[in-house]
Amino acid sequence: MTWSATARGAQQPDNTAFTQQRLPAWQPLLSASIALPLFFCAGLAFIGLGLGLYYSSNGIKELEFDYTGYPGTSNCTVCAEAGQGRAPPPRCSCAWYFTLPELFQGPVYLYYELTNYYQNNRRYGVSRDDSQLSGMASALRHPVNECAPYQFSSAGLPIAPCGAIANSLFNDSFSLWHQRGPGGSYVEVPLDRTGIAWWTDYHVKFRNPPLVNGSLALAFRGTAPPPNWHRPVYALSPDINNTGFINQDFVVWMRTAALPTFRKLYARIRQGNYTAGLPRGSYRVDITYNYPVRAFGGQKRIIFSSISWMGGKNPFLGIAYLVVGSLCILMGFVMLVVYIRFQDQHDEDEDEE
Amino acid sequence: MSLREYLGFRVDGRPGELSPTSMGSLAYQEDYEEEKNSAFTWEVKANSRAYNSRFKEKVFLCWRRRKYKTNIIRTAKYNVFSFLPLNLYEQFHRMSNIYFLLVIILQAFPEISTLPWFTLFAPFVCLLLIRATRDLVDDIGRHRNDRIINNRPCQILQGKRFLWRRWMNICVGDLVCLHKDSIVPADLLLLASTEPSSLCYVETADIDGETNLKFRQAPMVTHHELTSMRMMECFQEPAMPSAPDCPSPTGKVVCEEPNSRMHHFVGCLEWKGKKYPLDSGNILLRGCKIRNTDTCYGMVIYAGFDTKIMKNCGKFHLKRTKIDLLVNKLVLLVQIFLSLVLISAALTLGFWYQVQEFKAHYYVSHKHAHGVLMETFLIFWGFLILLSAMVPMALFIIAEFIYLGNSVFINWDEQMYYEPKDLPAMARSTSLNDQLGQVEYIFSDKTGTLTQNIMTFKKCCIEGCVYGPDAKSSYMVNPYLWNKFADGKLLFYNAELLHAVQSKKDKMVQEFWRLLAICHTVMVQEKGNQLLYQAASPDEEALVTAARNFGYVFLSRTQDSITVMELGKERVYKVLAMMDFNSVRKRMSVLVRNPEGTIYLYTKGADTVIFERLYRKGEMEWTTEEALASFAQETLRTLCLAYKEVDEDTYEHWHRRHQEASILLQNRAQALHQVYEEMEQDLQLLGVTAIEDKLQDGVPETIQCLKQGNIKVWVLTGDKQETAVNIGFACQLLSENMLILEEKEIVRSRSQILETYWEKNNNLRQAKGRAEDQASPKISMAMVISGDLLDQLFLSLRKEPRVLIQSAEESWQELGEQRADFLQARRVSQIWQLLGMQHRSSRLAPQDQELNGSKNFEAQRERAFVSLALKCQAVICCRVTPKQKALIVALVKKYQNVVTLAIGDGANDVNMIKSGCRAAGPRGRTAGGRLGPMAVRVLTAADIGVGLAGQEGMQAVQNSDYVLAQFCFLQRLLLVHGRWSYMRVCKFLRYFIYKTIASMMGQVWFAFYSGFSAQPLYEGWFLALFNLLYSTLPVLFIGLFEQDVSAERSLQLPELYMAGQKDELFNYRVFFQAIAHGMFTSVVNFFMTLWLYHDMASPASPGDYQSFTVVMALSSLLSITVEVGAAHAPPGLGALRSAGPAQGPRGHLQGSRLPGNFSLPGQVILIIKYWTVLSVLAILLSLSAYVVMTWATQSFWLFRISPTTFSFLCEPPGRVLGGGARCRPGLTQVWPHWALSRPLRLWLLSGDLHRAPWGHRARPWCGTQSRFWKALSRLRCDPALSPDADRNVLTHPFVLLVVLLNVSLNTLPVLALRVIYHTLTKPRPKVEVEAPPSEEIITVEPAHYLQREARGRRSSYAFSHREGYADLITQGTILRRTPGANSMLADPTMPMPYEEEPTSSQVEPSRWHSRRASLLGRKHRHRSMAHSDDLQPASVPGVGSSSLTGSPSYLENQFSISKNLPPTPEWQAGPMQENSSTSTTQEAPAGPKH
């Protein structure tokens, strides 16, 4: 702060556009004349997009069946009733018959849907051990505390995979049978149960612990399966690439849903004669009914769906785009009206002045 | 034991010193109070460290430390070890930090830990680090400063010689030796100096800002005794046990404890068994500069923090801006309370029901192990943590950057750089920028602020003939070259006058200049060949200098003679009497006998005074009066000159009477006055001088501009009314067509005006509400009031302090209560106002209740006065003391919730400028109920203090928030930087709140779909980095670079400034608007996504949590980023911009239309109205930060390190389709770029439209797209890992379509609304011709609002300064008689005048008492100084100070003695000493001459 001591001009600020806040700038003045074309163009674009989306969504077929077994809905009622109040529920099967009058354009995906199922409950959602699932040997023996009460079995063994999510693995199974002609025999339609998980999940996030003597079972020795499971994790599938933590059903299940109603991919139909889709004819889905949902008022559905470039059937996106596009155009018109009305007035005012 | 008891006698027995004078203001009251309490316990033994260190004071329990502090100054807060703990301690003093800490601690409980630990921890650590760094940098600067100061050199007596030491080595009791121009290191008792009578001249510019010299005098006893080095040794404790020459014990000073009263000191010197009283005239204060004194010796009494100046360094508390306060309130109240408590509670309640239901959900029921109540309780805290992200921690960090940045821009502004002094503007406070945009009242000092404080001789009128300056160009050479004494700086050239002077024909002209050369109290000193004048006021110096240039050179003076060089001829006038100015006499006269023996009386004075005393009034007088009037019109400061010849008899007669009067013991002043009055009669008018008090450059323009910006300028000055009014006119603050309410008018009819006014006001308010406020400003009024009136008016000042102390304990309490009431009321009104309820117009209303409650008449009157003053366009307060200045500021702040700015350059402005006043001292605090006035003072500080780095020292600058070099820069500071800062901060806040709400409310909505289980919607890392990184840069850009209109336009349209005054850009309404907008965005984002996802069968199963999260995050981020481009701009800009130039800068916006148009902030266009490379860069960078950080936190690498921390994986390296080897590039890494270039993406997608559905066949673009993709695909394709389905959500067109939909749905309607709104409410500023104040209005006014007569404005006498050195001159204290007798050090045999009783034969009682008298005079001057702020530097500082440094004493030219005698060896202490050490042994102290 010794002003006088410094040399002349030593404290003179730099004269640059930046320091003097005179950067070359573009100051857009958003007037109606700019906004109007913008809105009309955007509106048209959105409408176009919406139409495209709508029609492509309409081209998608979806076939859905609720097999929860609420009284009077399907023949799964028996199973549902049988399982009521019993834990574990008895093994039970039911079936869903349907007929396709025409080819169900492939590729066809088979989903199951659960409703009123809070996979996004925080307590539930955190109840997993990503370290364990990524194949860390140490974590296999020492699951994180979040897994409690599914951390250690009653025998004191660490549970693998630990946590509530794994414990509640969806364990209904489906098989699809096709009857070419009336009265003909049902042929099993091959369901591809691989390739239903995310690439990252399957390859990175979920890894089996290192094999012991070439055996996965040995690797899991000293662990207990989750209480609700009937078989240990290494026995989920005979396929070595689809068992243990990298069992794709398991991986799909472990990717928790965001909302209480969710669909998860069960299988893809793309093999054999069914590459192009499901040909017409009668079908039967054999359902192994294990998973209880009626206790909390949930529903179970099975869904066949084809797919378009933008995903499954979702007319809403197209509709939404149509609405937004129309809105844009509407707003454009409103603006136009307002603009013309008031601009004139302003001009008049100015004239008066 | 009180001081007096201790002394055993009354200090000089003069009650006047201790009793209150008429100025019974707070200052005194404080003094008195403290004096009553001051015990006499401070003992200092000269140079006896052992003795002095015996004194201990208890600090804590048994821990005692030395009572006397060393001279080390430590202003730094921290040292190496204490930095961390202290800084953390300080940081956690902030509410918000404690809150965040609490949340972080809460988060440690796994039961309620809803967010990963790093989400809150990372930003918090950032916050702490940034703040700590800032504190550290500040503190390092302070350390450096301290070090410099502590290491200054000084000489300390050690043993037998003075050795060079550092300031920090000084201890209490040390004897130090100071030389010319050195700074006093501690509070010293002056023991002796080389000047006559041991005077020591000091400049106190650093203490009180006055550059004129003040003198201090050593006690007579030391002056006489301590004449040699050996004697000096005697004074100290003998170094060796036996000091044969020193029979006397050590000198010891006993005095009061250190205190903060600058001009007060009472103590007593004990030496040789006798006690001698000491007062502040004996004390050199730390920070003064020794001037004109070769060497002086002092004994340290207070050191370091005990010194008066350090005691006066109040603690600065941070000023906070309105917006700052508002934001804190909002953050605390609304966010914590509302969002966290209310929403959490609501959600928790939701959970209450849900959890019962969850008991049936067997898959989760085991996780809810506790009872419902307990679970609910836990979930509440879970929500609290989850929603704590809503309290934007980053807001504080970014705000600090923004404030800092805007301050830096102020420093950088070249147009506020003052080249002549190499002074850029400087923002010393970085936290007030936005308030610069809201200033409504400016309180300005006059001298040195509006004016340059340079007086130039502009015109004169001699014998009715006016001489003005000729055109400069007509002189190629300096016309004063013939005169070797001319200083060549006079800019007044008049050939005619010069000719008249040189021709010596016109007697009147000769007498005119002779008068100017003789009749003054200027001191002269010679430096080289130049004469340097030292005057008590710049006016006087200007006059004497003018005379000098015209050949009447004042050469020297003695006690009774004046030597003048008249056109080359030296003449010595014998001074018979000198009748100094004072404010009552308004004139000064000198009675001289010229060399021819004739006696003349020369008088100069105010026109009114002089004209009364003329012996005739002829034509000349009339023309002179006309000239006076015209000078006044030009706002020049005029002075009338008159003289008369006095015959011998009259003189003899008068002289006797004068003698008699001057030895009177009582009423001497009055008697003298009478005698002077007798002499100053029947004068002959000589002429008039006109001096221009030069305004600073651009002051009128600036004031004009500020007025247009609805900023009211009040001038607070210590000047006289006439001067002040003059300046008011000169700087266009006042104009002819204004009603000027003067003191007379206000006082005369105060009971009527104020009270009727108040009543009228009340009625009006009740009747018409706010309409009243807008109605009255049509009459432009101005008010001129004086400090005395203020004293009478303001109840807090009116009462006698003594009465207050003694009687009315309860009255103080009452006061306190009132203040509490008004504080309360202010808070209430503030809240209301901030709520945007237009409370403004009835701002005074809350106080009504208080008023009705207390029925306090005085308060009512005070309020009436203030509200009247506030109605005035301009207010000039003259003759106000610094304290009153602060009080006026406080008063305005008290009744108006407005932003005030105080600007000044001198120490007398410090009170009003200073950010935090010295809170009442410790005693004041203990005084409990009496805290009243002190607390008022704490409130006084203006919101913003601007210091002009002018000539009056640095005090104002050091206490200010902003430093400017010129008044006119204020215009740019306020209208450009202030407005920008305000606009930036407001936009920043609005956007930040919007941003927070838009992104974080999603969490609340999500709770409804996640079973109220406090599941976070966003991933931890996104939350952690969102406010820190992803959305920071655009916000920063807004806060730093945004400009709605250019600087030039801002200055052209000062009306734009009003938006800030009305809090239009950020208030509760804007806040709620931002919240509503944020809600809208979050609702759209969340529910659109939800809806679209709800019934979705897709191979990608985007319904999974991670995808949902990422879609939401991306939608939010993009929405708010797009919103950066679309938000609200300052109102009415478009129109203004287009219409601006046409209507001219002076176009007035119609008041009634303005509020509507100007207050609607919704109409905007784009938040960023100022697109530069930087803004684009900011947006790009923040988005790429998102890309990079997302990529990083979701990378495999980090996942493998810590799968739980980085549980999201977002990288599909590729995929093999149906066993084929072809692959698709890993789009994840680049998808945000896609998001930016939606058309590209759409085009890419459309290319896929008719291809095989997702996930089955080769993606067509894999092989066909650009090289970039190819490269990527090569990178990513790994056929060996052939999984079948790529489930990566963000590569899915559906997801991108959803994001696009969200963003456009968020943006477009808002955009449309704005456009429509903008079109609808397009403000059309109307040009309103400034209505000339119509006569009707004036006539409507009551009669006492009479317009002043034109003559009343004529500047009468401009002597606003105090008395000159007349007393010193006539006493001869400072004058050396003859070289022989003048030797500095006294002959030991000389009688001690100090011990003599005043002899009646002398004009002045005695030397000692003469000094006392002069001290009294000084004291009186202090009082009057308090009245007048131009205790101007005695000379133009530049000239004056340099002149002071030049020669050791005044008048050396006449009594030239060799002062540089060879130093005796024992004095030789260091090499630096040579030229300054003076051998005192060879000079006898100047014996008093009677």
Side-chain angles (χ1 to χ4, degrees), chain B residues 432-453:
Chain B
L432 296 172
N433 299 332
D434 59 320
Q435 204 139 35
L436 281 179
Q438 298 182 284
V439 173
E440 217 161 319
Y441 288 89
I442 292 180
F443 299 91
S444 170
D445 177 33
K446 183 191 76 69
T447 318
T449 305
L450 296 176
T451 63
Q452 293 177 348
N453 200 16

mmCIF file of all heavy atoms in Angstrom, chain B residues 432-453:
data_model
loop_
_atom_site.group_PDB
_atom_site.id
_atom_site.type_symbol
_atom_site.label_atom_id
_atom_site.label_comp_id
_atom_site.label_asym_id
_atom_site.label_seq_id
_atom_site.Cartn_x
_atom_site.Cartn_y
_atom_site.Cartn_z
ATOM 1 N N LEU B 432 -18.301 -7.302 -0.664
ATOM 2 C CA LEU B 432 -19.371 -6.310 -0.703
ATOM 3 C C LEU B 432 -19.756 -5.925 -2.116
ATOM 4 O O LEU B 432 -20.529 -5.008 -2.312
ATOM 5 C CB LEU B 432 -18.933 -5.044 0.041
ATOM 6 C CG LEU B 432 -18.670 -5.212 1.524
ATOM 7 C CD1 LEU B 432 -18.076 -3.955 2.089
ATOM 8 C CD2 LEU B 432 -19.955 -5.529 2.234
ATOM 9 N N ASN B 433 -19.212 -6.623 -3.080
ATOM 10 C CA ASN B 433 -19.393 -6.157 -4.445
ATOM 11 C C ASN B 433 -20.843 -6.012 -4.841
ATOM 12 O O ASN B 433 -21.215 -5.050 -5.501
ATOM 13 C CB ASN B 433 -18.724 -7.127 -5.410
ATOM 14 C CG ASN B 433 -17.260 -7.203 -5.141
ATOM 15 O OD1 ASN B 433 -16.675 -6.252 -4.666
ATOM 16 N ND2 ASN B 433 -16.678 -8.337 -5.413
ATOM 17 N N ASP B 434 -21.641 -6.970 -4.475
ATOM 18 C CA ASP B 434 -23.011 -6.898 -4.954
ATOM 19 C C ASP B 434 -23.728 -5.713 -4.349
ATOM 20 O O ASP B 434 -24.611 -5.146 -4.951
ATOM 21 C CB ASP B 434 -23.756 -8.197 -4.645
ATOM 22 C CG ASP B 434 -23.790 -8.484 -3.171
ATOM 23 O OD1 ASP B 434 -22.764 -8.255 -2.530
ATOM 24 O OD2 ASP B 434 -24.823 -8.928 -2.661
ATOM 25 N N GLN B 435 -23.298 -5.336 -3.158
ATOM 26 C CA GLN B 435 -23.962 -4.219 -2.530
ATOM 27 C C GLN B 435 -23.639 -2.906 -3.243
ATOM 28 O O GLN B 435 -24.406 -1.954 -3.154
ATOM 29 C CB GLN B 435 -23.538 -4.138 -1.067
ATOM 30 C CG GLN B 435 -24.543 -3.430 -0.234
ATOM 31 C CD GLN B 435 -24.751 -4.094 1.099
ATOM 32 O OE1 GLN B 435 -23.836 -4.633 1.677
ATOM 33 N NE2 GLN B 435 -25.946 -4.059 1.601
ATOM 34 N N LEU B 436 -22.549 -2.902 -3.940
ATOM 35 C CA LEU B 436 -22.224 -1.711 -4.718
ATOM 36 C C LEU B 436 -23.313 -1.435 -5.738
ATOM 37 O O LEU B 436 -23.450 -0.324 -6.221
ATOM 38 C CB LEU B 436 -20.893 -1.908 -5.450
ATOM 39 C CG LEU B 436 -19.619 -1.735 -4.653
ATOM 40 C CD1 LEU B 436 -18.433 -1.997 -5.539
ATOM 41 C CD2 LEU B 436 -19.535 -0.349 -4.093
ATOM 42 N N GLY B 437 -24.041 -2.445 -6.071
ATOM 43 C CA GLY B 437 -25.104 -2.269 -7.050
ATOM 44 C C GLY B 437 -26.416 -1.864 -6.436
ATOM 45 O O GLY B 437 -27.421 -1.808 -7.120
ATOM 46 N N GLN B 438 -26.419 -1.644 -5.137
ATOM 47 C CA GLN B 438 -27.685 -1.335 -4.487
ATOM 48 C C GLN B 438 -27.653 -0.049 -3.682
ATOM 49 O O GLN B 438 -28.569 0.223 -2.923
ATOM 50 C CB GLN B 438 -28.064 -2.480 -3.548
ATOM 51 C CG GLN B 438 -28.264 -3.792 -4.250
ATOM 52 C CD GLN B 438 -28.684 -4.857 -3.271
ATOM 53 O OE1 GLN B 438 -27.894 -5.379 -2.520
ATOM 54 N NE2 GLN B 438 -29.961 -5.154 -3.253
ATOM 55 N N VAL B 439 -26.587 0.690 -3.856
ATOM 56 C CA VAL B 439 -26.419 1.870 -3.014
ATOM 57 C C VAL B 439 -27.526 2.877 -3.270
ATOM 58 O O VAL B 439 -27.887 3.145 -4.404
ATOM 59 C CB VAL B 439 -25.059 2.523 -3.294
ATOM 60 C CG1 VAL B 439 -24.939 3.836 -2.568
ATOM 61 C CG2 VAL B 439 -23.951 1.591 -2.885
ATOM 62 N N GLU B 440 -28.067 3.415 -2.195
ATOM 63 C CA GLU B 440 -29.095 4.425 -2.358
ATOM 64 C C GLU B 440 -28.657 5.769 -1.801
ATOM 65 O O GLU B 440 -29.098 6.799 -2.254
ATOM 66 C CB GLU B 440 -30.377 3.960 -1.659
ATOM 67 C CG GLU B 440 -31.602 4.344 -2.414
ATOM 68 C CD GLU B 440 -32.804 3.517 -2.002
ATOM 69 O OE1 GLU B 440 -32.656 2.292 -1.804
ATOM 70 O OE2 GLU B 440 -33.871 4.087 -1.871
ATOM 71 N N TYR B 441 -27.810 5.726 -0.814
ATOM 72 C CA TYR B 441 -27.348 6.974 -0.234
ATOM 73 C C TYR B 441 -25.829 6.995 -0.222
ATOM 74 O O TYR B 441 -25.196 6.027 0.192
ATOM 75 C CB TYR B 441 -27.862 7.124 1.202
ATOM 76 C CG TYR B 441 -29.334 7.423 1.258
ATOM 77 C CD1 TYR B 441 -30.253 6.393 1.305
ATOM 78 C CD2 TYR B 441 -29.788 8.728 1.227
ATOM 79 C CE1 TYR B 441 -31.610 6.662 1.328
ATOM 80 C CE2 TYR B 441 -31.142 9.004 1.248
ATOM 81 C CZ TYR B 441 -32.046 7.974 1.298
ATOM 82 O OH TYR B 441 -33.391 8.244 1.311
ATOM 83 N N ILE B 442 -25.307 8.107 -0.665
ATOM 84 C CA ILE B 442 -23.866 8.286 -0.573
ATOM 85 C C ILE B 442 -23.614 9.403 0.423
ATOM 86 O O ILE B 442 -24.201 10.476 0.326
ATOM 87 C CB ILE B 442 -23.265 8.654 -1.940
ATOM 88 C CG1 ILE B 442 -23.380 7.475 -2.882
ATOM 89 C CG2 ILE B 442 -21.826 9.067 -1.798
ATOM 90 C CD1 ILE B 442 -22.812 7.744 -4.238
ATOM 91 N N PHE B 443 -22.780 9.125 1.365
ATOM 92 C CA PHE B 443 -22.375 10.155 2.308
ATOM 93 C C PHE B 443 -20.957 10.533 1.966
ATOM 94 O O PHE B 443 -20.050 9.711 2.045
ATOM 95 C CB PHE B 443 -22.472 9.640 3.732
ATOM 96 C CG PHE B 443 -23.861 9.254 4.103
ATOM 97 C CD1 PHE B 443 -24.315 7.968 3.921
ATOM 98 C CD2 PHE B 443 -24.733 10.196 4.603
ATOM 99 C CE1 PHE B 443 -25.610 7.619 4.230
ATOM 100 C CE2 PHE B 443 -26.027 9.863 4.916
ATOM 101 C CZ PHE B 443 -26.466 8.571 4.735
ATOM 102 N N SER B 444 -20.823 11.765 1.573
ATOM 103 C CA SER B 444 -19.520 12.149 1.078
ATOM 104 C C SER B 444 -18.923 13.222 1.960
ATOM 105 O O SER B 444 -19.600 14.107 2.457
ATOM 106 C CB SER B 444 -19.658 12.670 -0.349
ATOM 107 O OG SER B 444 -18.452 13.240 -0.754
ATOM 108 N N ASP B 445 -17.662 13.101 2.121
ATOM 109 C CA ASP B 445 -16.899 14.147 2.745
ATOM 110 C C ASP B 445 -16.749 15.251 1.697
ATOM 111 O O ASP B 445 -16.959 15.013 0.521
ATOM 112 C CB ASP B 445 -15.541 13.550 3.125
ATOM 113 C CG ASP B 445 -14.637 14.578 3.730
ATOM 114 O OD1 ASP B 445 -15.147 15.465 4.403
ATOM 115 O OD2 ASP B 445 -13.426 14.477 3.513
ATOM 116 N N LYS B 446 -16.425 16.427 2.127
ATOM 117 C CA LYS B 446 -16.235 17.460 1.110
ATOM 118 C C LYS B 446 -14.756 17.628 0.767
ATOM 119 O O LYS B 446 -14.337 17.424 -0.363
ATOM 120 C CB LYS B 446 -16.795 18.800 1.589
ATOM 121 C CG LYS B 446 -16.685 19.881 0.529
ATOM 122 C CD LYS B 446 -16.990 21.240 1.086
ATOM 123 C CE LYS B 446 -15.872 21.799 1.919
ATOM 124 N NZ LYS B 446 -14.673 22.163 1.179
ATOM 125 N N THR B 447 -14.021 17.995 1.801
ATOM 126 C CA THR B 447 -12.659 18.395 1.526
ATOM 127 C C THR B 447 -11.827 17.191 1.146
ATOM 128 O O THR B 447 -11.795 16.204 1.861
ATOM 129 C CB THR B 447 -12.062 19.056 2.768
ATOM 130 O OG1 THR B 447 -13.053 19.907 3.309
ATOM 131 C CG2 THR B 447 -10.832 19.819 2.430
ATOM 132 N N GLY B 448 -11.185 17.299 0.038
ATOM 133 C CA GLY B 448 -10.349 16.199 -0.398
ATOM 134 C C GLY B 448 -11.122 15.108 -1.091
ATOM 135 O O GLY B 448 -10.542 14.227 -1.703
ATOM 136 N N THR B 449 -12.435 15.175 -0.977
ATOM 137 C CA THR B 449 -13.231 14.156 -1.638
ATOM 138 C C THR B 449 -13.928 14.760 -2.846
ATOM 139 O O THR B 449 -13.744 14.316 -3.979
ATOM 140 C CB THR B 449 -14.265 13.582 -0.661
ATOM 141 O OG1 THR B 449 -13.576 13.114 0.476
ATOM 142 C CG2 THR B 449 -15.028 12.467 -1.297
ATOM 143 N N LEU B 450 -14.731 15.774 -2.555
ATOM 144 C CA LEU B 450 -15.319 16.491 -3.687
ATOM 145 C C LEU B 450 -14.327 17.507 -4.232
ATOM 146 O O LEU B 450 -14.249 17.741 -5.421
ATOM 147 C CB LEU B 450 -16.593 17.200 -3.245
ATOM 148 C CG LEU B 450 -17.728 16.304 -2.794
ATOM 149 C CD1 LEU B 450 -18.889 17.135 -2.294
ATOM 150 C CD2 LEU B 450 -18.188 15.427 -3.929
ATOM 151 N N THR B 451 -13.622 18.085 -3.313
ATOM 152 C CA THR B 451 -12.663 19.101 -3.736
ATOM 153 C C THR B 451 -11.264 18.522 -3.664
ATOM 154 O O THR B 451 -11.023 17.517 -3.013
ATOM 155 C CB THR B 451 -12.735 20.329 -2.815
ATOM 156 O OG1 THR B 451 -12.366 19.918 -1.508
ATOM 157 C CG2 THR B 451 -14.111 20.912 -2.803
ATOM 158 N N GLN B 452 -10.380 19.233 -4.317
ATOM 159 C CA GLN B 452 -9.005 18.749 -4.301
ATOM 160 C C GLN B 452 -8.264 19.230 -3.081
ATOM 161 O O GLN B 452 -7.125 18.852 -2.856
ATOM 162 C CB GLN B 452 -8.273 19.257 -5.539
ATOM 163 C CG GLN B 452 -8.785 18.690 -6.822
ATOM 164 C CD GLN B 452 -8.077 19.287 -8.001
ATOM 165 O OE1 GLN B 452 -7.358 20.269 -7.884
ATOM 166 N NE2 GLN B 452 -8.269 18.701 -9.157
ATOM 167 N N ASN B 453 -8.919 20.103 -2.343
ATOM 168 C CA ASN B 453 -8.264 20.740 -1.212
ATOM 169 C C ASN B 453 -7.062 21.571 -1.686
ATOM 170 O O ASN B 453 -6.055 21.659 -1.015
ATOM 171 C CB ASN B 453 -7.825 19.715 -0.181
ATOM 172 C CG ASN B 453 -7.604 20.358 1.160
ATOM 173 O OD1 ASN B 453 -8.060 21.469 1.380
ATOM 174 N ND2 ASN B 453 -6.903 19.679 2.025
#
